[in-house]
C-alpha cells in the first residue's frame, strides 16, 4: 500500500527558508514521481512542481521557479521541497503526492509564515 | 499554462440523487485528466484518472467521461460521505494545473 508521511508543522519568519520532507513506502520509489501541491486555507489546490525520482529531473510552476527546490534521497525513499525567501502568503498546507496523476497523498505539512 | 475551469462552484443536491460536475480545459489535455475528492482537514483522494478509469477501491457510483477539453464526473445515488469538494487536474502538459473546485453540499 502506497504511503507518504510528511514532516511536522513549521512556523517561519518572513525571508527565511523551510524544507519539508516526504517519506515514501509501499511502492518502488525509484520508479516513481513525486509532486508537491499547496493549499491556502479555504483555497484551491496549487501545483508547485515535481521530481522524477529515478532521473532527478524536475519541473516547476513558473511562479515557484526561483524560490522552490525539489530533491530526493533514493537511499531513504524521501523527497524534499525547500522554499526560500518565505512571505506571509506562503502560509499554506503543503502536500506531497506520488505518481503521474497523484495516486497517493501525504497527510500535509502546515507551514505558517509570520513575523 | 492550461487553465482548468470547473462548474458550478457550488452544487446543492439531495442524498440519493444523481449529479454531474463539469471541468473544461483551455486547450486539449487528451485523456490526461484526473478527479479528486477532498473533505475538510484531509488531503485530496484520487477518484478517477485517464478521464474515466476509477482508482483502486473507488465506488462504482463515481464515473468519469470526456476527452480533449470537456470532462464530467458523475456521481450516482449520492451518499452522505460524498458531500465534499471535487477538483479536476490535468497532467498532460507543464505546468500541471488544477481546477478551482466544485463544492457538493447537501440540499
Amino acid at each position: 500500500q502506497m504511503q507518504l508521511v510528511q514532516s511536522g508543522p513549521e512556523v517561519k519568519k518572513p525571508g527565511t527558508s523551510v524544507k519539508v520532507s516526504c517519506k515514501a513506502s509501499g511502492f518502488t520509489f525509484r520508479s516513481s514521481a513525486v509532486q508537491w501541491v499547496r493549499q491556502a486555507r479555504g483555497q484551491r489546490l496549487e501545483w508547485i512542481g515535481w521530481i522524477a525520482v529515478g532521473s532527478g529531473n524536475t519541473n516547476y510552476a513558473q511562479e515557484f521557479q526561483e524560490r522552490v527546490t525539489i530533491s530526493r534521497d533514493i537511499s531513504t525513499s524521501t523527497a524534499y521541497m525547500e522554499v526560500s525567501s518565505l512571505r506571509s502568503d506562503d502560509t499554506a498546507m503543503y502536500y506531497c503526492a506520488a505518481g503521474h496523476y497523484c495516486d497517493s497523498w501525504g497527510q500535509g505539512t502546515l507551514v505558517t509564515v509570520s513575523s | 499554462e492550461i487553465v482548468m475551469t470547473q462548474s458550478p462552484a457550488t452544487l446543492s443536491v439531495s442524498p440519493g440523487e444523481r449529479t454531474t460536475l463539469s471541468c473544461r480545459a483551455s486547450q486539449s489535455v487528451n485523456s490526461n485528466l484526473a478527479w479528486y475528492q477532498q473533505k475538510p482537514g484531509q488531503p485530496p483522494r484520487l477518484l478517477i484518472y485517464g478521464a474515466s478509469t476509477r482508482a483502486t477501491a473507488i465506488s462504482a457510483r463515481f464515473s468519469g467521461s470526456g476527452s480533449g477539453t470537456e470532462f464530467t464526473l458523475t456521481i450516482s445515488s449520492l451518499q452522505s460521505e460524498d458531500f465534499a469538494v471535487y477538483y479536476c487536474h490535468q497532467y498532460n502538459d507543464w505546468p500541471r494545473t488544477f481546477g478551482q473546485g466544485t463544492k457538493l453540499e447537501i440540499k
Side-chain angles (χ1 to χ4, degrees):
Chain A
Q1 177 182 349
M2 296 176 75
Q3 187 173 17
L4 299 171
V5 179
Q6 298 183 223
S7 48
E10 302 267 9
V11 179
K12 294 291 183 179
K13 293 193 181 302
T16 63
S17 299
V18 67
K19 191 171 186 176
V20 181
S21 67
C22 171
K23 184 169 177 60
S25 62
F27 63 100
T28 306
F29 185 66
R30 178 188 294 271
S31 304
S32 71
V34 174
Q35 311 195 48
W36 290 88
V37 176
R38 76 177 185 182
Q39 186 174 41
R41 181 180 290 275
Q43 302 301 309
R44 68 192 296 171
L45 299 169
E46 187 176 21
W47 189 81
I48 298 171
W50 100 330
I51 186 165
V53 174
S55 65
N57 289 339
T58 55
N59 204 304
Y60 300 95
Q62 186 168 4
E63 67 174 289
F64 298 107
Q65 188 87 37
E66 300 298 320
R67 298 193 300 127
V68 172
T69 302
I70 296 173
S71 60
R72 90 291 192 230
D73 182 340
I74 294 175
S75 68
T76 60
S77 297
T78 304
Y80 300 92
M81 179 200 62
E82 183 170 21
V83 185
S84 62
S85 302
L86 285 165
R87 310 184 294 247
S88 58
D89 62 358
D90 290 320
T91 293
M93 186 71 79
Y94 288 76
Y95 295 104
C96 62
H100 287 265
Y101 33 80
C102 302
D103 314 34
S104 181
W105 295 65
Q107 82 277 18
T109 296
L110 180 62
V111 175
T112 303
V113 183
S114 174
S115 55
Chain B
E1 152 174 333
I2 297 176
V3 177
M4 307 300 292
T5 302
Q6 293 185 240
S7 60
T10 304
L11 197 51
S12 298
V13 187
S14 300
E17 290 187 348
R18 173 189 176 99
T19 192
T20 298
L21 288 64
S22 296
C23 175
R24 173 177 292 179
S26 61
Q27 63 190 74
S28 176
V29 299
N30 298 300
S31 293
N32 296 313
L33 188 285
W35 290 94
Y36 305 89
Q37 176 193 70
Q38 188 179 32
K39 297 180 180 180
Q42 296 182 19
R45 178 176 69 142
L46 177 67
L47 299 175
I48 301 285
Y49 62 93
S52 61
T53 302
R54 275 189 302 276
T56 303
I58 298 302
S59 169
R61 295 198 310 278
F62 294 90
S63 62
S65 65
S67 66
T69 61
E70 300 284 343
F71 301 88
T72 59
L73 174 69
T74 298
I75 312 172
S76 64
S77 188
L78 278 161
Q79 307 295 303
S80 58
E81 62 266 28
D82 299 336
F83 292 95
V85 180
Y86 292 83
Y87 293 95
C88 62
H89 167 62
Q90 68 82 16
Y91 52 96
N92 189 73
D93 203 358
W94 304 107
R96 309 307 199 211
T97 47
F98 290 89
Q100 82 279 19
T102 290
K103 182 178 182 180
L104 189 57
E105 62 179 30
I106 300 175
K107 188 173 183 180

